Amino acid sequence: MKCRLLTIAGMLISALSVSAAPVATGAPQEKGLIELFASGGYTMYALLVISVILVLFILVFLATIRRNAVVSDKFMSAADAMIRRRDYLGLIAYCHRQNESIARVIQKSLEFLTKNPNAPFIEVRSLAEAEGSRQAGTLTSRITYLADIAAIAPMVGLLGTVLGMIKSFIHISGGAGQGVRQMELAGGVSEALIATASGLIIAIPALVFYSFFRGRVFRYVSELEAASAHLMAILNSQIERQPSGPSYATPAARGGRGDDFAMPTPAPLGAERPDLHGI
């Protein structure tokens, strides 16, 4: 029993002496974040800039790619009420004050309708669809920057890897001693691995947030299409129910209220719109 205790004690003492030996001999400690950054080579500065840009993009997209920035219930209620009152000019002014995608669609459609009162409604609908496609393309093109960062960051990290390996092989081929060459080889490999890891650390969150915002954009684009179709259908029904005669005339010529739809020219057209009855 005493022999076993002496053996275990001897093993513990030897283990403690081995673990304390590197400290006594001045073995290198774990590097901090700044030291790791400096060990990664010149490509780490490019990766730092890319990471800052990534954070800025994420913050901007979180603030701008929202439902209220595309289609809000408040705008839909106001636009529905104004279209039913045929207050088209008032709705155009209201759209100018809003920053929503649906506001741009309705604004372009009504501006075309007021400037071209005799145009068939199918042209108004086509213009609304074109503007809706443009707004959807704008939302989609924004988030592609995250995909670009996810593709560029690993490439920059790979460049750092190649430069680190080239540095290592240059020192290996030098005329220094064996120990010096091993130290230089370890430094070059360390630089290569740090650059590669940094590129992946940036690329992975970029891909995650790209997938997140892509799903959000697809959902909001679908809501934008549904909202545009809803308002266009109401607008078409209001135009078809207008009486024959001064359907696009001024309020004075129609005898209506001042907040009704009015053309910029004072003279009433007084022409029936047969091209709308078939829609």
Side-chain angles (χ1 to χ4, degrees):
M1 186 68 180
K2 290 183 179 179
C3 294
R4 290 182 179 179
L5 291 176
L6 292 174
T7 304
I8 294 173
M11 293 175 62
L12 290 175
I13 293 172
S14 61
L16 290 174
S17 62
V18 171
S19 61
V23 178
T25 56
Q29 303 297 317
E30 292 184 359
K31 294 183 179 180
L33 185 61
I34 298 178
E35 293 177 348
L36 285 175
F37 178 84
S39 301
Y42 295 108
T43 56
M44 294 297 293
Y45 296 97
L47 291 173
L48 177 63
V49 174
I50 293 174
S51 64
V52 172
I53 294 174
L54 173 63
V55 173
L56 292 177
F57 275 143
I58 292 173
L59 295 177
V60 170
F61 294 161
L62 286 174
T64 56
I65 303 179
R66 299 176 292 107
R67 186 181 186 278
N68 289 337
V70 180
V71 179
S72 67
D73 296 333
K74 179 181 177 182
F75 178 85
M76 291 299 295
S77 300
D80 188 290
M82 288 184 181
I83 291 176
R84 295 184 188 277
R85 293 200 312 263
R86 298 174 184 172
D87 185 12
Y88 302 142
L89 293 182
L91 182 54
I92 292 175
Y94 180 70
C95 290
H96 276 288
R97 299 191 298 268
Q98 304 301 315
N99 293 323
E100 303 175 23
S101 299
I102 185 63
R104 303 284 79 79
V105 175
I106 301 303
Q107 174 189 338
K108 294 293 184 180
S109 302
L110 291 179
E111 285 178 349
F112 176 80
L113 184 62
T114 56
K115 294 177 181 178
N116 304 275
N118 293 324
F121 189 78
I122 190 173
E123 296 183 3
V124 180
R125 189 184 298 276
S126 299
L127 181 64
E129 292 175 354
E131 181 62 23
S133 299
R134 192 182 73 85
Q135 294 294 326
T138 301
L139 292 174
T140 306
S141 62
R142 289 180 185 176
I143 63 173
T144 54
Y145 293 118
L146 297 178
D148 295 336
I149 290 177
I152 292 173
M155 294 294 103
V156 177
L158 181 60
L159 176 62
T161 302
V162 173
L163 294 178
M165 297 305 295
I166 291 175
K167 179 179 177 181
S168 299
F169 284 111
I170 289 176
H171 288 295
I172 290 175
S173 61
Q178 184 70 22
V180 176
R181 283 187 294 178
Q182 289 179 356
M183 293 178 60
E184 295 294 341
L185 175 62
V189 173
S190 174
E191 176 181 337
L193 294 178
I194 290 173
T196 303
S198 301
L200 293 176
I201 289 172
I202 296 173
I204 292 172
L207 280 177
V208 171
F209 279 99
Y210 172 71
S211 300
F212 170 74
F213 286 117
R214 182 180 59 185
R216 179 179 285 189
V217 165
F218 286 167
R219 183 169 68 254
Y220 293 161
V221 166
S222 299
E223 294 185 8
L224 175 63
E225 293 175 353
S228 301
H230 174 73
L231 294 179
M232 287 295 105
I234 296 176
L235 180 61
N236 188 20
S237 63
Q238 292 299 316
I239 292 176
E240 288 183 344
R241 285 207 298 263
Q242 286 182 0
S244 60
S247 58
Y248 287 95
T250 61
R254 254 196 348 261
R257 299 184 309 174
D259 58 349
D260 288 342
F261 174 76
M263 286 294 295
T265 56
L269 297 178
E272 191 177 10
R273 299 187 59 186
D275 52 339
L276 296 179
H277 294 289
I279 298 179

